[in-house]
Amino acid sequence: MKLPTFLPTTSNRRCRTALDEKDRLDLQRKEGQDPRAVKEDAKRAVEKQAVVPNIKAVAEDYLERSRNRQSTVNDYRNMLFNQVLPVLGEESPVNRF
């Protein structure tokens, strides 16, 4: 497809990029692939590779970096480890919440 000549250079590039993407998606459709499913599969593959910390590691990291008084940090630690983590599960990944 030919781009209109009255568009500025940056708009022309954006149009070219959009047209290239349209052509790529059209090609996937012609090959019998669903572009949405292909994108979701790629996203799942990236998510599997990502290392997700568990809630216990995040809680400990927060308590180490906390700028609160030590007595407050101790109170938070007691609440986390005695009340919150037993309910949620120490090994639960944080992206679950």
Side-chain angles (χ1 to χ4, degrees), residues 76-92:
Y76 287 173
R77 179 173 274 111
N78 285 335
M79 283 187 276
L80 274 168
F81 287 95
N82 294 328
Q83 297 173 13
V84 177
L85 292 179
V87 173
L88 298 178
E90 292 182 357
E91 299 302 318
S92 299

Side-chain angles (χ1 to χ4, degrees), residues 4-95:
T5 55
F6 61 87
L7 290 174
T9 307
T10 55
S11 295
N12 208 354
R13 272 189 238 131
R14 282 190 221 127
C15 287
R16 173 56 44 206
T17 303
L19 289 172
D20 290 344
E21 180 68 7
K22 178 191 170 296
D23 292 341
R24 185 183 68 79
L25 294 174
D26 286 343
L27 182 64
Q28 282 183 347
R29 284 186 204 98
K30 285 180 185 176
E31 292 174 349
Q33 298 175 349
D34 180 13
R36 290 184 205 159
V38 171
K39 186 176 181 179
E40 280 296 317
D41 291 343
K43 187 176 177 181
R44 281 191 200 104
V46 168
E47 288 175 353
K48 281 184 180 179
Q49 292 175 355
V51 176
V52 180
N54 61 32
I55 194 164
K56 181 180 178 181
V58 172
E60 288 174 348
D61 184 51
Y62 169 76
L63 292 173
E64 287 175 15
R65 290 202 247 166
S66 177
R67 293 185 178 177
N68 294 319
R69 293 182 316 188
Q70 189 59 44
S71 62
T72 304
V73 172
N74 291 341
D75 289 343
Y76 287 173
R77 179 173 274 111
N78 285 335
M79 283 187 276
L80 274 168
F81 287 95
N82 294 328
Q83 297 173 13
V84 177
L85 292 179
V87 173
L88 298 178
E90 292 182 357
E91 299 302 318
S92 299
V94 292
N95 63 352

